[in-house]
Amino acid sequence: DAGVTQSPTHLIKTRGQHVTLRCSPISGHKSVSWYQQVLGQGPQFIFQYYEKEERGRGNFPDRFSARQFPNYSSELNVNALLLGDSALYLCASSLTGAATGELFFGEGSRLTVL
Amino acid sequence: QQQVKQSPQSLIVQKGGISIINCAYENTAFDYFPWYQQFPGKGPALLIAIRPDVSEKKEGRFTISFNKSAKQFSLHIMDSQPGDSATYFCAASNSGNTPLVFGKGTRLSVIA
């Protein structure tokens, strides 16, 4: 079975641009979470979606938005990119939306903002 | 405010030795404490998890010890192997759906 797939794997943007990152969860998983991992740090929670509804939002500015589609795939959008947005963006899926369930992470999308 | 503090930042252990990584948390509502393992270029993967109703959980060479009164938990890797070289993250969440909060990670290197 395919694991969590993310695209693109790497991308380079300039300040002020917009980026869209995509995630396909494991088949049967209805929850998708997005995490930002800055180099040398642990993943930091951005969003969780369950059954296409936002379940939670971390301490990120409104420039960050996300959505989940009827097939449970998800997009993370970041507007007006800043240098500090450079990071590995991880998508994780889980069977349920429970915060105490196992998260299955993809390999991430590495964003570099110049 | 860092809700989960992890130490050490890096660790070098001889092959066959015991690796110990410690975490402390602040939020007494946390009731789920997983450890994730991350290899370079990969996403984190769940290694082992514990809930506060037990003080220890063992899976193979990996053991979590949990001290509720001290609000601390630790990961012990017995008979450490070079293949265990990775970054380890402790995390915490609660059944009230507070999402997983991760520590900053420990880079483990197991040398032969």
Side-chain angles (χ1 to χ4, degrees):
Chain A
D1 284 339
V4 176
T5 56
Q6 293 187 242
S7 63
T9 55
H10 295 82
L11 68 167
I12 299 173
K13 294 284 187 177
T14 56
R15 281 178 297 174
Q17 285 189 313
H18 163 271
V19 68
T20 297
L21 307 178
R22 295 177 176 82
C23 171
S24 292
I26 292 172
S27 178
H29 285 194
K30 299 181 178 180
S31 177
V32 168
S33 299
W34 287 94
Y35 282 80
Q36 181 195 63
Q37 186 176 19
V38 173
L39 196 63
Q41 302 290 315
Q44 189 171 0
F45 174 74
I46 310 175
F47 285 108
Q48 183 194 14
Y49 278 79
Y50 177 69
E51 288 280 18
K52 292 153 282 182
E53 296 204 353
E54 183 179 303
R55 176 68 71 88
R57 182 185 183 120
N59 187 24
F60 280 79
D62 291 343
R63 299 184 295 107
F64 288 76
S65 64
R67 55 180 175 168
Q68 186 177 33
F69 299 99
N71 66 353
Y72 301 108
S73 67
S74 178
E75 280 183 356
L76 175 70
N77 294 281
V78 187
N79 293 323
L81 286 167
L82 304 173
L83 295 180
D85 295 331
S86 295
L88 180 67
Y89 288 85
L90 293 164
C91 173
S93 74
S94 60
L95 196 57
T96 70
T100 53
E102 180 176 358
L103 293 181
F104 295 82
F105 284 89
E107 295 188 350
S109 294
R110 184 165 296 282
L111 171 65
T112 301
V113 182
L114 302 177
Chain B
Q1 182 182 9
Q2 187 181 354
Q3 295 193 59
V4 180
K5 293 183 179 180
Q6 184 172 346
S7 63
Q9 190 173 1
S10 63
L11 182 62
I12 299 175
V13 173
Q14 292 276 351
K15 178 182 175 182
I18 301 173
S19 304
I20 302 174
I21 306 171
N22 301 299
C23 278
Y25 62 96
E26 299 164 2
N27 187 343
T28 55
F30 286 149
D31 59 5
Y32 175 67
F33 304 91
W35 285 88
Y36 278 78
Q37 179 188 55
Q38 185 176 29
F39 292 104
K42 301 291 186 182
L46 179 66
L47 189 62
I48 186 173
I50 196 169
R51 296 181 189 270
D53 52 340
V54 295
S55 60
E56 185 175 282
K57 182 175 182 179
K58 183 176 181 180
E59 289 184 2
R61 297 184 294 110
F62 302 91
T63 301
I64 299 180
S65 297
F66 183 78
N67 185 330
K68 188 174 182 178
S69 61
K71 294 188 288 185
Q72 295 175 347
F73 58 109
S74 60
L75 175 69
H76 295 234
I77 306 174
M78 311 300 288
D79 187 26
S80 298
Q81 299 296 313
D84 296 330
S85 297
T87 299
Y88 293 81
F89 295 97
C90 62
S93 66
N94 73 45
S95 302
N97 280 331
T98 300
L100 267 182
V101 177
F102 285 83
K104 291 189 174 182
T106 296
R107 178 174 286 186
L108 171 66
S109 297
V110 181
I111 56 176

